Amino acid sequence: MLKSNLLKLRIGADKSITPIYVRENNYELRKRAAAISDIFLACVGRPRKELDEQTSRFRKGKGDRKINGALVELLYDRCTFEAATDAPVVDIRRRLFEEAAKNFPVGAVAEDAARAGIVAAVGTELGLAADEVERLMFSDLKEAQLLESLDEISPADLIKRYNLALAQGALIHSYGMTVTLGTDSPQRIRQLFRYLKFFKLMFNVDYREGRVGVKIDGPISVLEQTRAYGVRLASFLPALLLLSDWEMEAELKWKRKRCVLHLSPADGLTSHYRDVGAWTPPEMAQFSTRLGDLAGPGTALAESNAIISLGGRDVYIPD
């Protein structure tokens, strides 16, 4: 998720709030997305400190610094880091500090004779060479972690993920959202409710003007674990994007103002979640065929998009 200082949102005179999306075919932006991806790939297997130094220069380089920073953060989220060693680093450091305390004062630079003697003595005690002790001394710190792998993403998809992240970042500051569902299939509607339950969101179903509305509580309306709940709500958005007919309205608090965010398929946001809601089990196809045969000529079968609330977080969605 993008931090608030990386979000680019515009507040209108009507108190509507709009993410400032970027064009996916922007040539210069694609070049920057490709450049930062190459930096991450080149640092696979290298210490995090090296990656941090290079990404810091990229953030301050050509282009919008907020967008640069957002691209960097999105790629960090796709990284896996590991400790540089499985050696008992804490024990090594403890012995070094114990010996240093006995021989106080000791210089901090490697050329200091007293320091070199302590490092050599601890190395002999632990069966390590002096240079190995130097390398391991602080190898458990975050900056010394190795970039084990990067879940690669194309520049075009990284830009799509940036646009999605803008909307997700806004939702972290919401009081709640109302989703109005349209004509999607029962399979896709059921998939949506599975995601609602998976992310442990609080919701209820109502009906307005012949359409189904799902009211979902936002993080600001939750008394505890506001940040964690907000992340779960934002993580739900890509599941909503798997539908083809929907509208969403969310009330937000942004820069001490209450605003309203509207989203729909017209915004062109793309989900990266796997879509299993389009799959129809063969048993259902067989059932429909058999039922049609039994009903006889002149009878038509149609899917229903009805949602029946069973109270609380339970709903029934018939085919």
Side-chain angles (χ1 to χ4, degrees):
M1 300 298 167
L2 295 181
K3 298 177 182 178
S4 297
N5 65 328
L6 295 176
L7 296 179
K8 292 172 69 71
L9 307 173
R10 181 187 297 114
I11 301 177
D14 58 352
K15 294 187 178 180
S16 63
I17 191 166
T18 307
I20 304 176
Y21 301 121
V22 296
R23 290 185 294 108
E24 296 174 9
N25 62 351
N26 185 307
Y27 177 72
E28 288 299 324
L29 187 55
R30 283 204 178 193
K31 282 178 59 178
R32 272 188 279 155
I36 188 57
S37 296
D38 289 343
I39 288 174
F40 274 79
L41 286 172
C43 287
V44 172
R46 307 298 301 168
R48 182 169 185 149
K49 182 179 180 180
E50 294 184 18
L51 177 62
D52 290 345
E53 290 172 350
Q54 295 194 48
T55 56
S56 178
R57 289 193 291 269
F58 178 84
R59 291 174 192 264
K60 301 172 184 177
K62 183 180 179 181
D64 188 299
R65 291 194 176 186
K66 280 192 174 183
I67 296 178
N68 289 350
L71 296 178
V72 169
E73 293 304 318
L74 290 172
L75 286 174
Y76 266 114
D77 288 343
R78 305 177 69 83
C79 291
T80 300
F81 292 93
E82 63 175 3
T85 178
D86 56 0
V89 178
V90 175
D91 292 338
I92 294 172
R93 193 158 55 236
R94 176 178 56 79
R95 287 295 300 123
L96 286 168
F97 291 166
E98 288 174 348
E99 291 302 313
K102 294 177 184 178
N103 296 274
F104 185 82
V106 179
V109 295
E111 292 77 12
D112 181 79
R115 181 185 187 282
I118 291 172
V119 170
V122 171
T124 300
E125 176 187 331
L126 299 176
L128 299 170
D131 60 344
E132 191 73 359
V133 174
E134 291 276 9
R135 186 181 69 82
L136 294 173
M137 192 183 307
F138 296 108
S139 61
D140 59 336
L141 299 184
K142 183 178 179 180
E143 63 181 18
Q145 292 177 334
L146 299 180
L147 175 55
E148 180 183 13
S149 63
L150 170 69
D151 184 8
E152 294 187 46
I153 184 171
S154 69
D157 286 340
L158 181 57
I159 294 173
K160 291 179 182 178
R161 192 67 62 87
Y162 167 76
N163 283 336
L164 173 59
L166 287 179
Q168 288 179 298
L171 288 176
I172 290 180
H173 304 275
S174 72
Y175 292 94
M177 68 165 72
T178 299
V179 177
T180 304
L181 303 176
T183 57
D184 282 277
S185 67
Q187 293 92 339
R188 278 206 163 94
I189 298 295
R190 280 196 287 268
Q191 175 179 247
L192 183 75
F193 278 90
R194 284 197 297 269
Y195 274 110
L196 278 169
K197 293 189 174 185
F198 175 78
F199 289 118
K200 300 179 181 179
L201 300 177
M202 294 182 286
F203 66 90
N204 60 72
V205 177
D206 67 355
Y207 299 86
R208 55 180 66 193
E209 300 177 358
R211 304 192 78 181
V212 176
V214 183
K215 291 186 176 180
I216 307 169
D217 289 341
I220 295 181
S221 67
V222 179
L223 296 179
E224 296 181 358
Q225 298 181 333
T226 302
R227 173 69 185 178
Y229 187 90
V231 170
R232 297 204 303 270
L233 181 66
S235 299
F236 167 73
L237 180 59
L240 181 59
L241 300 180
L242 296 174
L243 301 182
S244 60
D245 185 11
W246 58 275
E247 293 179 5
M248 188 272 283
E249 181 180 291
E251 188 176 10
L252 313 177
K253 184 178 182 181
W254 180 251
K255 294 185 177 179
R256 300 182 180 180
K257 298 180 180 179
R258 291 181 78 109
C259 311
V260 178
L261 171 68
H262 296 275
L263 292 178
S264 72
D267 290 280
L269 298 178
T270 304
S271 176
H272 54 281
Y273 287 177
R274 183 185 176 195
D275 185 6
V276 297
W279 181 73
T280 300
E283 294 82 5
M284 181 57 66
Q286 294 169 7
F287 172 77
S288 299
T289 301
R290 180 61 175 156
L291 187 59
D293 293 341
L294 291 173
T299 302
L301 299 179
E303 285 188 327
S304 167
N305 62 347
I307 300 176
I308 302 172
S309 176
L310 302 179
R313 298 175 67 248
D314 294 320
V315 295
Y316 174 61
I317 306 170
D319 287 281

